[in-house]
Each structure stands twice: as C-alpha cells, then as structure tokens.
Amino acid sequence: MISMMLPGTVGVYYGQEINMINGLVTKQQMKDFSGEGTRDPCRLLMQWDDSRNAGFSTNITTYLPVNSDYFQNNVEMQKLQPVSHYNLFKDLSTLRRTNTFRYGKFKNEGYSSTNIYSLTRSHEGHVLTVVANLFRTSSRVNLTEILQNHPDKITIAAASVNSGYKKGFNIEHDSRDEFYMRPLASVVLETYQPHTANEDSTSSPDF
C-alpha cells in the first residue's frame, strides 16, 4: 500500500495482486540455481483459478509446479470476495488514477510513534493519507494528530485485508484520538479541506 501511494512508477511482481506466497520446489523440480539457492519458489505459476495448473496451462506438465494453495488462493476466488487482496489492489490502482495522485503534492508525514508511519497526497482540497502499522503488535493511533487539518469527515478509501475495516467506512469523531490498528495493517484515509486556487498545480506532478 505504501509503495503504490508513493510518487512515480510502482513495480509489481506477478502474484502480488493476490498475495501469492513462495511455494515448495523439490530439488528435482528446480530449473534455476543461484549460488547455493534457487529463485524458483517465487517463480511458480500464476494462480488464475482452481482448475488444473491453476488455469495457467492446459498441459499435463509445466516448467515449474503450481503452489499447493492455488485451489484456495486464486484470482477468480478473490474476485468473489468483497474483502480480498485482489480488490484492495483494484482500489489502490483506482486511487492512482485520480488527479490527487497524478498531480497532487506528496508529503512524508513520517512516524507519529515508533510503529505508525503515514504519508499524504493532496490536490485541490482532496487529501489521501496512508496510515500503516509496521509492527506485529496492535496500536492505537491519534488521527487528530496525523490529520492536522481536522476534517469534518474521514472516510476509508482502501484498507488492507487484515485491518478489520472496509472501504467506505466513516470514522466517527469520538474514535479519532484512539483509532485501532491491527498488527501490520494499513488504511488509506480520504478527507477534504478548504484550499486556495494556487495551492496546487495541475501542470505537472510535484515530484
């Protein structure tokens, strides 16, 4: 989520869209050797669906095997799940096409605590703020401190699968100073604030 909301081009290795993980490759199945190890566990077949070879090929055998979890983690299955890595990737991709991302200002908010990192993208009063818990422990976040413009309305524009929140959820005023973040969870908050005509420029990205 952080990398997709930063300025510039984002690099995505196939399978990251659905949170594919490295698979088991036996020594007999290995095709690539790099020093003492192999890169093959992260180069297995793209998991499109739960059919043979995860829908990657109709052949009986393939160059590399398919990960054993393909029948429960694949593109077609995640399309049907409202909360999934696939749909999160689509939400972030949609945000990247907004003028706020394309032409807006970038600000590295840094760390509001030892484990909470945040950044903002802003354009003509529209502000997108990433809040990420980088630790493997839960944390309470003071959004009033992070969102210094004190917006009237805070809406979640995107949320990691493990966050416990959903896109479109409105954060009430009484929970802003104690916003709960699960371990390794992240959200994109959408707010609006007054702006002046010369605050932002649509002529070129600000990076």
Side-chain angles (χ1 to χ4, degrees), residues 20-202:
M20 277 179 55
I21 62 175
N22 291 356
L24 177 64
V25 182
T26 66
K27 188 173 182 179
Q28 292 73 25
Q29 293 172 318
M30 289 181 186
K31 305 296 182 183
D32 173 83
F33 293 90
S34 178
E36 297 181 356
T38 177
R39 297 174 293 180
D40 288 340
C42 69
R43 304 166 80 184
L44 303 188
L45 311 186
M46 180 63 190
Q47 296 165 202
W48 295 108
D49 56 39
D50 61 359
S51 63
R52 186 202 306 231
N53 296 323
F56 182 88
S57 173
T58 57
N59 289 346
I60 297 177
T61 59
T62 54
Y63 181 73
L64 284 171
V66 63
N67 197 327
S68 60
D69 73 345
Y70 78 94
F71 63 92
Q72 60 186 4
N73 182 33
N74 58 70
V75 174
E76 289 303 316
M77 181 170 291
Q78 289 201 19
K79 281 183 178 180
L80 302 176
Q81 300 169 341
V83 179
S84 68
H85 295 285
Y86 172 83
N87 284 307
L88 170 61
F89 188 84
K90 287 182 63 178
D91 291 339
L92 295 173
S93 299
T94 298
L95 292 176
R96 285 178 59 85
R97 291 194 292 270
T98 64
N99 285 341
T100 302
F101 180 90
R102 296 173 61 198
Y103 305 117
K105 296 180 180 298
F106 163 77
K107 184 178 180 182
N108 177 23
E109 300 292 351
Y111 296 86
S112 59
S113 66
T114 56
N115 56 326
I116 300 297
Y117 170 75
S118 61
L119 63 89
T120 59
R121 309 299 304 272
S122 59
H123 178 69
E124 296 185 346
H126 182 221
V127 183
L128 297 172
T129 303
V130 176
V131 181
N133 182 1
L134 305 181
F135 276 30
R136 295 182 179 275
T137 55
S138 301
S139 180
R140 298 283 180 176
V141 184
N142 189 332
L143 295 183
T144 303
E145 176 185 319
I146 295 177
L147 305 174
Q148 298 178 8
N149 58 317
H150 305 296
D152 292 331
K153 184 178 180 181
I154 303 176
T155 304
I156 293 181
S160 62
V161 173
N162 61 329
S163 70
Y165 298 105
K166 294 182 180 180
K167 183 177 74 170
F169 176 79
N170 293 322
I171 301 173
E172 302 298 333
H173 282 79
D174 58 1
S175 61
R176 294 184 180 185
D177 295 344
E178 289 288 325
F179 184 67
Y180 179 73
M181 293 286 292
R182 288 178 176 176
L184 300 177
S186 54
V187 293
V188 178
L189 306 178
E190 184 175 34
T191 60
Y192 293 87
Q193 63 183 9
H195 70 285
T196 59
N198 60 356
E199 179 183 348
D200 295 299
S201 172
T202 57

